[in-house]
Amino acid sequence: MEFKISKELIQQLEQLIQSRNDVQLEILLNDLHHADIAEILDELDFDEATYIFKVLDSEKTAEILLELEDDLRENILSRLSPKEIAEELDELETNDAADIIAELSQEKKEEVISELQDVEHAKDIVELLRFDEDTAGGIMHKELVKVNENWNVLTCVKEMRIQAENISRVHSIYVVDDEDRLKGRLSLKDLLTTSTKTPIRDIYISKLNYVKVDTEDVEVARIMQKYDLEAIPVVDELGRLVGRITIDDIVDVIKDEADKDYQLAAGISQDVEADDSILELTKARLPWLVLALLGGFITVRVLGLFEGAMVQHGNLFFFTPLIAAMAGNVGVQSSAIIVQGLANDTLSGSLFNRLIKEVSLSLLNGVILASILFLGSHFLLNVEFIIGIIVTIALVSVIIIASLIGTFIPLLLDKFGIDPALATGPFITTSNDICGILIYFSIAKLILGF
């Protein structure tokens, strides 16, 4: 059953903190999952959260630290000494520890590393810190189980037992040569059903997926998703096994990428959250709002070019919001499908075939929608026949052009290394609004001759 925070629980914790009843605090919280405790700490003020954090055992608080909101974690870390932080990091796997250290100032970072008790653990953390956080090297674990191809099964099992002591979950057994170069993986079934004297080189599976330390994290996510992997090994420039990436790390990458794409699509230019300051939120939103405002100016200027139509054919202007809205909606739909295909690597075929498909689809949709619009405007709104014809022709034209723009722009952005999610937001909506209005009145002018 999912844990739910109650008002009574928060009040009970606050009373225990005020009375400094550490024993009851431990009893109350020890049986809870670390993610639930982190949720509780987020509901308390900084002083209360820090107090509870210091009461609990470091084995528990180390996991809690990873689940806390950024502001609260930063505040708690600022109140801990380098030695206390090092005690927390000694309980974490290398990539989690490296993530925590990366948030510290350079001076405190060095102090914390010097306080780490496990020298090998410290070396691994320092190695991870040199990788960019958006690469395989930046998200990998150093903890893994590896065996040498020259060992026999008996030696292999003995070494695996030693290595597995420091690993929470063993997803795969990797096989390396004397230079630590990745050779393949070992099947647990083969290991259990083979003679203890059999050399590992005779039973390991050479075919396996792997990534390099500089592979982008989103590419790692794509590979793991495509091949349904729970873990994937990471090799350096020389092909040596240096780490592994597990599915829980990739879930975080997918979530972060989805959040970023969603914000781009909504017209937010940087990663922000609801509790960020007004200044940070303004900096993230304002650039696209300025773009939308400039687009509005251009739209007004386009309408000004057809000022004569306002006097002679005022009914035309009643349909401008409809034309602009349809242009924007169709463009966003088309671009969203393309962006999704690019993200999932499911787009196939040539660009020409893709555009032909979009034209056919938009033509069909346009004809259906234009027919509904023509009948509605003629029988319900009593619009002149010629105006109805203009609007329907314009609607079909606008839908086709908007779908082409929505298809072509994300592909173009992707080709130049720009996040195609940019094309699903205000950029595509604003450009299609302008194009839609221009096409609409150009057709009207051609038919009516104003």
Side-chain angles (χ1 to χ4, degrees), residues 218-422:
V218 289
E219 176 64 11
V220 177
R222 188 192 66 78
I223 294 171
M224 292 186 70
Q225 180 185 34
K226 180 178 180 180
Y227 297 106
D228 197 22
L229 303 175
E230 289 188 357
I232 191 167
V234 184
V235 300
D236 64 10
E237 296 82 354
L238 299 177
R240 295 174 299 190
L241 179 64
V242 292
R244 62 167 181 156
I245 296 170
T246 55
I247 190 64
D248 54 326
D249 302 311
I250 288 306
V251 168
D252 293 336
V253 171
I254 293 171
K255 180 181 179 299
D256 291 343
E257 191 65 17
D259 288 345
K260 185 178 75 172
D261 286 349
Y262 180 81
Q263 291 185 346
L264 275 175
I268 300 175
S269 58
Q270 52 186 280
D271 188 20
V272 289
E273 295 180 0
D275 346 345
D276 286 343
S277 69
I278 292 177
L279 180 60
E280 289 173 324
L281 291 170
T282 300
K283 285 165 62 179
R285 297 182 187 184
L286 192 58
W288 286 113
L289 294 176
V290 170
L291 174 65
L293 182 63
L294 292 175
F297 277 124
I298 296 172
T299 303
V300 170
R301 181 65 184 136
V302 169
L303 287 171
L305 298 175
F306 303 98
E307 189 175 356
M310 189 178 295
V311 179
Q312 300 175 40
H313 308 281
N315 285 349
L316 286 172
F317 283 86
F318 293 135
F319 291 94
T320 52
L322 184 148
I323 296 294
M326 289 303 297
N329 289 337
V330 170
V332 168
Q333 282 186 341
S334 299
S335 60
I337 294 296
I338 297 299
V339 169
Q340 185 182 41
L342 289 170
N344 297 332
D345 198 29
T346 55
L347 287 183
S348 58
S350 67
L351 175 58
F352 178 75
N353 291 336
R354 174 67 53 183
L355 295 178
I356 290 295
K357 184 177 181 179
E358 279 300 318
V359 169
S360 303
L361 177 62
S362 56
L363 183 59
L364 177 61
N365 289 337
V367 168
I368 294 172
L369 293 171
S371 301
I372 296 171
L373 176 61
F374 179 78
L375 294 173
S377 63
H378 185 68
F379 293 107
L380 298 178
L381 303 178
N382 296 318
V383 174
E384 296 175 52
F385 180 79
I386 190 66
I387 298 296
I389 292 295
I390 290 170
V391 173
T392 53
I393 293 173
L395 184 61
V396 174
S397 304
V398 163
I399 286 176
I400 292 173
I401 297 300
S403 66
L404 288 175
I405 292 174
T407 301
F408 184 70
I409 293 298
L411 293 171
L412 188 65
L413 292 174
D414 184 63
K415 184 175 172 118
F416 285 97
I418 302 170
D419 194 333
L422 198 65

Side-chain angles (χ1 to χ4, degrees), residues 4 13 35 55 75 85 151 210 274 301 442 448:
K4 297 287 185 184
L13 288 169
V55 166
N75 195 283
I85 297 175
W151 295 345
Y210 64 89
R301 181 65 184 136
S442 297
L448 297 174

